[in-house]
Amino acid sequence: MKLNEDTIEVFIKNNSEENPYKPGDEIKLIYGLYCETVCGTQKQLLVPDATKSKVWKDNNPDVDINMISYLGLPINWPDREVFGTVCLLDNKENSYSKDYIDLL
C-alpha cells in the first residue's frame, strides 16, 4: 500500500483470484484502516480476526469485504518519509506465523 496525501492506494498486489483489491484502488484516510494505522504508528500490526476485536470490527472497510485478518509492516524511504506498508490480508482467521513476519 502506498500512502498519498489524503488516501492510501493499492500499489501492487498478488494475483490471487480471491483478492478483492486491484492496483490503483484508493480509500480516504479517515477510517483508521489497518494500513493507515501502520503508517501512523510505524509499527507492525497483527490482527488475527477483526470480527473478534472491539477495535477493528466496526467501521472497517476491510471487514466489510471479509478481509478479517491482517499483518502489516511500515515501509519508509531512505530519508524516513513514509512510503506505505507491506501487508497480508486474509478472509479467514490467521495469526500469521513467525515465518510470515520474518518474510515481510
Side-chain angles (χ1 to χ4, degrees):
M1 301 293 283
K2 181 180 183 298
L3 184 66
N4 298 319
E5 188 171 319
D6 61 348
T7 64
I8 195 155
E9 170 187 353
V10 177
F11 188 68
I12 193 165
K13 70 169 199 93
N14 72 359
N15 290 325
S16 167
E17 289 183 21
E18 294 177 0
N19 189 335
Y21 299 103
K22 62 184 182 290
D25 284 352
E26 288 185 271
I27 192 161
K28 292 208 176 279
L29 294 173
I30 58 172
Y31 291 102
L33 297 164
Y34 307 126
C35 289
E36 182 179 354
T37 300
V38 170
C39 288
T41 63
Q42 288 292 286
K43 294 182 180 177
Q44 172 188 307
L45 177 63
L46 172 60
V47 180
D49 186 344
T51 64
K52 296 178 181 176
S53 167
K54 291 179 184 177
V55 173
W56 296 107
K57 71 179 178 178
D58 297 323
N59 300 315
N60 185 334
D62 290 316
V63 172
D64 292 345
I65 58 171
N66 202 34
M67 293 289 105
I68 64 167
S69 66
Y70 175 89
L71 171 63
L73 294 157
I75 299 174
N76 296 326
W77 293 101
D79 66 0
R80 297 217 170 265
E81 183 178 342
V82 176
F83 174 84
T85 67
V86 59
C87 61
L88 299 170
L89 289 133
D90 204 338
N91 60 4
K92 59 186 175 298
E93 185 171 348
N94 192 332
S95 294
Y96 299 99
S97 70
K98 183 177 179 323
D99 290 339
Y100 279 105
I101 294 168
D102 289 346
L103 178 63
L104 288 183

